[in-house]
Amino acid sequence: MLRAGDIALFVTSGTFSPDARNTSTSSREFIRLIDGNDFIDMWQEYYDKMSDDDKNMLPLKRISFLGNNE
C-alpha cells in the first residue's frame, strides 16, 4: 500500500501491456512505468552525468555498431 508522497516505480526490459498502462494512469497513487526504450533513453541522457560511485552500481558500457544503409 502506498502512503501519501510515495511513488511506485516499475521497470521492465520489455514493454507494458495496455492494461498496465491504463492502471498506472488511472490510479490515485503515482505509478511510473519505465519500459526498455524509456530506460535506454534515460541511460543515454543521464549516465555520463552520474558520479563514478553511482555508475559502479550499474556498470554499463556504450557499444556502437556500424551498419550499412541497405
Side-chain angles (χ1 to χ4, degrees), residues 9-48:
L9 178 64
F10 294 91
V11 181
T12 182
S13 59
T15 59
F16 290 98
S17 70
D19 284 342
R21 291 194 182 278
N22 288 337
T23 299
S24 72
T25 57
S26 64
S27 175
R28 293 183 316 171
E29 289 85 11
F30 183 82
I31 299 174
R32 172 77 191 271
L33 303 180
I34 298 176
D35 66 15
N37 289 332
D38 292 335
F39 178 78
I40 290 170
D41 290 344
M42 292 170 69
W43 175 69
Q44 290 174 332
E45 183 174 350
Y46 297 109
Y47 194 74
D48 290 335

Side-chain angles (χ1 to χ4, degrees), residues 8 15 32 41 47-49 55 60 66 68-69:
T15 59
R32 172 77 191 271
D41 290 344
Y47 194 74
D48 290 335
K49 299 172 187 173
K55 287 179 184 178
L60 302 172
L66 297 176
N68 55 32
N69 291 330

